[in-house]
Amino acid sequence: MKRIRKTVKNMLLFWILTGALCACQKGQESGGRVTLTVSMGTSSLTPEVTVAVTPEVTKTPSLTEPAIPIDETHFTSAVFREFIKEEYDKDSDGFLSWTERGAVTKMQPGGYNFSEECLDGFEYFPNLTDIDAENFSARQVIIRNHPVLQAFGGSEGWGPIGTLQIENCPALTNIGFYAGRIDLLSVSGAPLAALSLDDTIVGSMILDADMTLWGSVDERHGVSFYRINEDGVLVYYESEYVNGELVVKQQTPVEFTNRKEPQFPFSEEYWTECLANSEFGELELFRVQISEKEEAGYNEKGQKGYAVRVFYTRSNHDYGDKTFVIYADEMPVREQFVVRPAAINGIEAVEYSPNRGVCVLTKWDLAVVYQGGEEEQVLDVFDRHEHYCAIAADGAVKAVPVSRAGRYHDSLLRFMLTGTASNADSGAGRADSD
């Protein structure tokens, strides 16, 4: 009898402990502290099991909707914290919920006095794509580890900015400033970024060599430009016109990090040589149509005559076509016709990247050449064409007619060399060096 009572007691204990453990698990999942007490009475078959769940008191938001406090740990500047509270803390609880942070896609912090402040914490806004620095100045701005940020910059009324530090922003495409001052500009981990500085003084520049210098690059265009000095260093020049003369106000050497070899030279002579040796199998706004030409008959070699009609477009209002006769044993095919420079009348740098290459505005005359016979035959030279030409570090050349460049919203060089403009039908060729 005692053995039976003991067996029953053990079975009851097992069942009750199993239920208690389930209660413990539920209590832990709810975030509480669980206390399990088992007491074996001498006069009862049933053990006394007590499960106590004590709720934890915490200010940490739930894991399903994480929130961050608007404090110095997340946002260094007290003034910036006030801006964030006023603009984005919709329920005024001192926290930024996931919903509050995710709703911010553009930030305009201008109008606050950040002149002695360090602004950071932009990475806590996961959908932020644009920071407008109009009417904005700060001692320091740190933008780091932001996966979707695309643009940062300001027009008139911004600055000065003491230090602008941008790190690990892989989606950043545009950094642009007009009429202001930055004491130190440092950009790394932003390979798609195009930097545009116009009428802007910069004390020091440290840039990722993958990024692009965009806008006023050539010294013949605008008051802000780049030039190689006698030591072979690329220098940013900020100048102004005084009594009709261009006077340099500031010269800032550009220090590049993440440089790859070989470096693409900042040299108009080199760019001209690359373009002069380029050849295009396909070139936008040049179209070749081939058909039999009965009235041409045959030549003295017994070759049949074919009509080759070349369509060209210089601009939206300047286009036409010319027809030529080709004698060949078989009907010529489109691949036997190429377009190559006949004369380069001028080039002007638009964008430059030490690792990627250059984009230049090219004014040139273009020859249409038939390569299907025993010798090449120049059908004609079409003059006064303008293209934006991108020359990559490996010598590849792509060309986009100026009249079609409006489809590109920012960096032509990046679109033309990274393949992101594959739907633009841009011409492509290669420079063949002797």
Side-chain angles (χ1 to χ4, degrees):
M1 189 65 178
K2 289 182 177 179
R3 183 178 297 175
I4 294 175
R5 289 169 61 88
K6 185 176 182 180
T7 301
V8 173
K9 180 185 283 188
N10 288 339
M11 293 177 64
L12 287 170
L13 178 61
F14 173 78
W15 292 332
I16 294 172
L17 285 175
T18 300
L21 289 174
C22 291
C24 289
Q25 183 177 2
K26 291 181 180 179
Q28 288 173 336
E29 290 174 350
S30 66
R33 179 184 301 140
V34 178
T35 304
L36 174 64
T37 305
V38 180
S39 176
M40 295 297 296
T42 58
S43 62
S44 173
L45 286 174
T46 306
E48 296 178 4
V49 180
T50 304
V51 179
V53 180
T54 306
E56 292 283 355
V57 178
T58 177
K59 293 183 179 180
T60 304
S62 67
L63 295 177
T64 57
E65 190 175 312
I68 62 170
I70 306 174
D71 58 11
E72 188 174 0
T73 301
H74 296 87
F75 307 99
T76 302
S77 166
V79 181
F80 194 40
R81 292 197 296 272
E82 288 302 313
F83 164 76
I84 291 172
K85 289 177 182 177
E86 292 185 16
E87 296 292 330
Y88 309 125
D89 185 12
K90 301 303 182 182
D91 56 8
S92 303
D93 66 348
F95 286 84
L96 289 176
S97 69
W98 176 261
T99 302
E100 289 171 331
R101 291 187 288 129
V104 181
T105 58
K106 182 176 182 178
M107 187 176 290
Q108 295 176 288
Y112 286 75
N113 184 9
F114 300 119
S115 58
E116 300 299 324
E117 302 293 310
C118 172
L119 274 63
D120 57 7
F122 297 97
E123 65 272 18
Y124 296 113
F125 298 91
N127 297 321
L128 179 62
T129 60
D130 184 1
I131 303 174
D132 187 347
E134 186 174 356
N135 298 320
F136 172 87
S137 63
R139 175 177 59 84
Q140 186 176 15
V141 179
I142 301 175
I143 306 172
R144 58 161 64 101
N145 302 327
H146 205 300
V148 303
L149 183 67
Q150 298 176 13
F152 177 80
S155 55
E156 289 185 277
W158 70 274
I161 295 176
T163 298
L164 174 56
Q165 183 178 344
I166 300 175
E167 300 175 356
N168 190 28
C169 295
L172 185 63
T173 56
N174 293 299
I175 308 171
F177 294 97
Y178 173 73
R181 178 184 179 89
I182 302 171
D183 292 333
L184 171 61
L185 174 60
S186 175
V187 183
S188 62
L192 299 179
L195 173 66
S196 176
L197 300 172
D198 191 5
D199 196 17
T200 297
I201 293 177
V202 181
S204 299
M205 298 175 67
I206 305 173
L207 305 178
D208 189 319
D210 275 337
M211 62 186 295
T212 302
L213 304 176
W214 177 45
S216 299
V217 176
D218 197 289
E219 60 185 282
R220 291 163 294 191
H221 177 72
V223 296
S224 305
F225 54 87
Y226 296 86
R227 183 190 299 167
I228 293 289
N229 67 11
E230 58 185 13
D231 297 322
V233 176
L234 187 66
V235 178
Y236 169 68
Y237 286 79
E238 175 56 32
S239 56
E240 63 180 349
Y241 282 98
V242 178
N243 297 325
E245 297 290 332
L246 191 64
V247 178
V248 174
K249 297 190 296 184
Q250 176 101 7
Q251 300 181 36
T252 306
V254 183
E255 177 184 343
F256 288 104
T257 61
N258 186 34
R259 298 175 74 110
K260 299 174 184 176
E261 296 297 336
Q263 286 287 288
F264 189 85
F266 192 90
S267 165
E268 184 175 324
E269 181 179 356
Y270 176 78
W271 306 337
T272 303
E273 180 181 355
C274 287
L275 292 175
N277 292 304
S278 62
E279 185 175 274
F280 302 90
E282 295 283 346
L283 189 61
E284 189 178 5
L285 302 188
F286 274 84
R287 186 165 58 89
V288 176
Q289 185 182 81
I290 305 164
S291 61
E292 293 187 6
K293 190 174 180 62
E294 297 295 339
E295 60 270 25
Y298 295 83
N299 64 7
E300 64 276 7
K301 296 181 180 180
Q303 295 174 315
K304 184 175 178 57
Y306 297 92
V308 178
R309 191 177 183 185
V310 178
F311 299 84
Y312 64 91
T313 302
R314 293 191 181 93
S315 68
N316 293 332
H317 306 288
D318 186 0
Y319 54 88
D321 64 89
K322 291 185 178 181
T323 301
F324 309 91
V325 176
I326 296 290
Y327 289 93
D329 296 326
E330 298 178 346
M331 176 178 276
V333 295
R334 174 64 185 87
E335 290 73 21
Q336 295 173 321
F337 297 86
V338 298
V339 179
R340 67 165 64 121
I344 298 176
N345 305 314
I347 63 174
E348 180 180 320
V350 179
E351 302 177 50
Y352 172 73
S353 169
N355 286 349
R356 297 184 183 275
V358 70
C359 180
V360 294
L361 172 60
T362 309
K363 299 179 180 181
W364 53 3
D365 302 335
L366 296 168
V368 176
V369 183
Y370 172 59
Q371 296 180 326
E374 296 178 358
E375 297 182 354
E376 289 188 346
Q377 180 181 349
V378 178
L379 300 184
D380 201 355
V381 174
F382 296 81
D383 61 357
R384 296 181 293 108
H385 283 268
E386 293 187 357
H387 286 81
Y388 286 111
C389 294
I391 308 171
D394 64 357
V397 179
K398 292 187 176 183
V400 174
V402 171
S403 60
R404 296 292 182 90
R407 73 186 67 180
Y408 302 95
H409 299 294
D410 45 15
S411 170
L412 273 168
L413 181 64
R414 181 178 66 249
F415 277 123
M416 295 168 73
L417 298 186
T418 61
T420 54
S422 58
N423 61 347
D425 299 326
S426 60
R430 178 168 296 277
D432 299 317
S433 301
D434 296 331

